[in-house]
Amino acid sequence: RVTLYMDFSLIIWWAVLVAAFAQVGVGMLWYGPVFGKLWMKYVGITPESMKSMPLTLWQAMIGGLLTAFVMATVLSYASLFFAAMTAMQALLLAFWLWLGFVVTTQSGSFLWEGKPFGLLILNAGYSLVVLSVMALILVLWR
């Protein structure tokens, strides 16, 4: 018998916070020096047009950290629910969540919005890396 309520006392909040910051750090690298120019090409923006974005850099960073915190919290709970205890189990959990929820959701940008397939690969690759890093932090912290 499975209970689907959230017992927040089982969550290691320091691990959640570190995992959230790790997501932001990976994102800064992925969409910055590593693939930033390619991402900008795919989405059709320039450094100049980024200055007219609706949010400031700090507002976007805080928003990103908040969403990363939510993701880390849910991933922490999922790792408990599925009893992931090892690095391999953490990576498998990340992979299946990525394949079942992230790839299928992100595919809509290619299928329905006409975005380049390369953008789907770039964003999905980032999501796989981030979920893997976060799952490792959350599972191995225990």
Side-chain angles (χ1 to χ4, degrees):
R1 203 175 121 130
V2 177
T3 304
L4 291 177
Y5 68 91
M6 180 66 141
D7 185 351
F8 287 108
S9 69
L10 299 175
I11 304 278
I12 299 172
W13 293 106
W14 285 110
V16 168
L17 192 60
V18 168
F21 274 101
Q23 179 185 348
V24 171
V26 170
M28 289 171 68
L29 289 172
W30 191 273
Y31 292 105
V34 178
F35 295 114
K37 289 181 183 177
L38 182 60
W39 172 76
M40 289 173 68
K41 178 183 150 203
Y42 282 143
V43 296
I45 59 174
T46 64
E48 295 78 32
S49 66
M50 287 186 75
K51 294 175 186 171
S52 64
M53 297 290 220
L55 298 178
T56 67
L57 176 62
W58 284 107
Q59 289 171 325
M61 294 286 289
I62 290 169
L65 184 58
L66 290 173
T67 60
F69 186 80
V70 170
M71 180 184 242
T73 301
V74 172
L75 186 56
S76 179
Y77 185 67
S79 72
L80 291 166
F81 184 81
F82 290 106
M85 300 298 291
T86 67
M88 182 55 73
Q89 290 170 337
L91 293 173
L92 283 170
L93 176 64
F95 173 78
W96 289 114
L97 292 174
W98 171 79
L99 183 64
F101 296 101
V102 176
V103 173
T104 55
T105 302
Q106 289 182 352
S107 294
S109 67
F110 170 72
L111 296 171
W112 307 111
E113 298 171 6
K115 303 289 185 191
F117 184 72
L119 181 61
L120 170 61
I121 298 300
L122 183 68
N123 289 336
Y126 162 74
S127 296
L128 178 60
V129 169
V130 159
L131 276 169
S132 298
V133 168
M134 293 174 81
L136 285 168
I137 290 168
L138 294 165
V139 168
L140 297 179
W141 194 295
R142 287 189 239 136

